[in-house]
Amino acid sequence: VAFEKYLLLNKLREEVKINEVLERQLCESGKLAAIGELAAGISHEINNPLGVISAFAQLILRKSYIEHQDREFLVKIVSESLKASEIIHKVLNYSRKKPVYEDISIHNVIQNSVFMVREYFSDLGIEINLDFQMKNDIIYGNIIDFQEIFLNFLTNAKDAIGQNGKIKISTENKIIKNKDYIKITVSDSGGGIPKENIPKIFEPFYTTKEAGKGTGLGLSINFKIIESYQGIIDVETDIGAGTKFYVYFQ
């Protein structure tokens, strides 16, 4: 009888623990759902005005007679608008248990990402060139993932250049071992990466930038996203010769 009571008590304890775990998961799901509803509700209302603010600021930047201080203010408006938009995207991603996957155009994502930074980069003397040789640029994925990839590459290239340089993004279809691949190359005219640093560049928080000027997360995030799509990322670089990142997707 005592042994049966012991087994019953153990069973009750296990059931209590299971119920506690389920309650916590339910509570967490409820929080995520609430965040998701809130984020989805405000994202459209906030993102549209942010896009308009950024677009008009970039249009004004194209004028040649702007005073230097006013130009700095406009560049700040564009960069802060981009940051706010990125935060909204991250909240949406966090709140979605199942990200939205669909057929997306790599070329459209690249063009949209470049549009977001072109005027800001231009003010730094950085030219962005696109070379689309790929005939089939459709890939099944989450558009926010791919936008983050290209914005991270662009930001990384900008930081490598500093001022007055070139960034080029090119695409092509490649057949490797009888398999079709999408190949994307992002190159910059920056100072290059020392060979001893190459094994570390995809590690989280690794950065050679000054304190406060970078988190060291951009390339590690790209590595993680690309890997999640069974993609491949490679780098070719040399001191004084710039850097090229190669990305392959099936």
Side-chain angles (χ1 to χ4, degrees):
V1 175
F3 183 67
E4 288 177 354
K5 286 182 179 179
Y6 172 77
L7 290 177
L8 181 60
L9 282 171
N10 269 353
K11 187 176 180 182
L12 286 171
R13 287 194 191 100
E14 286 179 4
E15 288 179 355
V16 168
K17 285 181 181 178
I18 291 169
N19 284 333
E20 287 175 352
V21 170
L22 290 173
E23 283 176 8
R24 283 199 298 269
Q25 288 179 342
L26 186 61
C27 182
E28 185 66 21
S29 296
K31 288 178 184 177
L32 288 174
I35 293 171
E37 288 177 12
L38 177 63
I42 67 172
S43 64
H44 178 74
E45 299 299 326
I46 294 179
N47 261 333
N48 276 2
L50 281 175
V52 172
I53 291 167
S54 177
F56 275 103
Q58 291 183 55
L59 285 173
I60 297 170
L61 277 168
R62 293 179 183 178
K63 297 181 179 179
S64 57
Y65 55 82
I66 302 172
E67 292 183 8
H68 179 71
Q69 189 175 23
D70 291 339
R71 183 172 292 275
E72 286 185 348
F73 291 154
L74 287 165
V75 169
K76 189 70 173 174
I77 289 170
V78 173
S79 63
E80 293 302 315
S81 297
L82 293 176
K83 285 180 185 176
S85 181
E86 184 181 350
I87 289 168
I88 292 169
H89 284 312
K90 285 181 178 178
V91 171
L92 277 170
N93 256 358
Y94 173 75
S95 63
R96 287 173 180 158
K97 293 188 76 175
K98 291 184 179 179
V100 176
Y101 289 91
E102 57 190 346
D103 286 338
I104 57 176
S105 163
I106 290 290
H107 290 166
N108 284 348
V109 177
I110 294 172
Q111 287 173 328
N112 289 337
S113 300
V114 169
F115 175 78
M116 292 173 72
V117 303
R118 189 184 288 279
E119 291 300 328
Y120 174 40
F121 282 29
S122 177
D123 198 62
L124 298 172
I126 299 173
E127 179 184 331
I128 305 174
N129 296 309
L130 303 179
D131 180 21
F132 294 158
Q133 299 294 326
M134 188 162 54
K135 293 180 181 178
N136 179 17
D137 71 321
I138 302 300
I139 190 168
Y140 186 74
N142 181 334
I143 193 168
I144 295 174
D145 284 344
F146 284 88
Q147 182 170 297
E148 185 161 18
I149 287 171
F150 292 113
L151 286 175
N152 283 338
F153 274 136
L154 287 164
T155 301
N156 185 74
K158 182 260 296 179
D159 290 343
I161 293 169
Q163 289 187 329
N164 303 319
K166 292 183 179 181
I167 299 171
K168 182 178 179 180
I169 303 178
S170 58
T171 67
E172 59 182 312
N173 295 110
K174 296 285 286 185
I175 298 176
I176 303 172
K177 294 181 179 179
N178 297 320
K179 292 182 180 179
D180 292 324
Y181 282 87
I182 289 173
K183 180 185 178 184
I184 303 158
T185 305
V186 183
S187 58
D188 67 64
S189 61
I193 304 169
K195 288 182 179 179
E196 63 270 20
N197 290 349
I198 293 175
K200 306 173 188 174
I201 60 174
F202 297 117
E203 293 178 5
F205 303 108
Y206 177 77
T207 179
T208 57
K209 300 168 192 169
E210 295 176 21
K213 291 193 175 181
T215 61
L217 284 172
L219 290 177
S220 66
I221 288 172
N222 278 10
F223 182 86
K224 184 177 178 182
I225 295 173
I226 291 165
E227 190 178 47
S228 74
Y229 286 92
Q230 286 77 54
I232 301 167
I233 182 170
D234 196 11
V235 61
E236 178 184 319
T237 184
D238 203 357
I239 295 297
T243 301
K244 290 182 180 180
F245 286 97
Y246 302 104
V247 180
Y248 299 85
F249 294 109
Q250 274 191 279

